[in-house]
Amino acid sequence: MSTSRLQHINDYFFSAEMAAPYCPLTTHVLNTGMGVPGAHVALSMHRMDPSTSIWNLLTTGTTTDDGRCPGLITRENITPAFLPIRRVVTNTSVVCVYLQIVFTITDHSQKFHVPLLCSRFSYTTYRGS
């Protein structure tokens, strides 16, 4: 293997994106109908205030070219709560243009992966690890 190839691999694994602070919640958007990542999808994360039942914005982000949104939220900013991830899917090949996935975190020491798989006809999500 050439030196330049090894350098490319090293740069990938130790890039600024990979060196981002630990994020206990990750997400990934995939356009399963076209077999491509959901690149440049705007998303936001909110927490419900239990005393007012109002959703308060925690953070926003945009997926990368590979459909991921690294460093969305830090462990210090996650507390047990109902949390929706709101996604604005602007790709015209996907029918859904706005999705809200609401989930509960009861143990903030765990890692959560909440992907979105979508096509022109449907979408699904699940809790990964």
Side-chain angles (χ1 to χ4, degrees), residues 56 68 116:
N56 296 308
R68 299 179 187 276
L116 172 65

Side-chain angles (χ1 to χ4, degrees), residues 30-38 89-97 118-122:
L30 296 167
N31 181 334
T32 56
M34 297 181 73
V36 296
V89 182
T90 57
N91 185 331
T92 57
S93 65
V94 178
V95 172
C96 298
V97 294
C118 55
S119 74
R120 289 187 49 195
F121 307 106
S122 65

Side-chain angles (χ1 to χ4, degrees), residues 22-82:
Y22 174 74
C23 183
L25 176 73
T26 57
T27 188
H28 194 189
V29 179
L30 296 167
N31 181 334
T32 56
M34 297 181 73
V36 296
H40 313 289
V41 174
L43 56 91
S44 61
M45 192 169 171
H46 300 72
R47 177 183 297 128
M48 182 188 281
D49 183 331
S51 63
T52 63
S53 296
I54 293 175
W55 292 105
N56 296 308
L57 179 66
L58 290 176
T59 187
T60 61
T62 303
T63 59
T64 60
D65 288 341
D66 70 348
R68 299 179 187 276
C69 190
L72 182 61
I73 193 165
T74 62
R75 183 175 301 279
E76 294 77 34
N77 291 330
I78 277 199
T79 59
F82 286 109

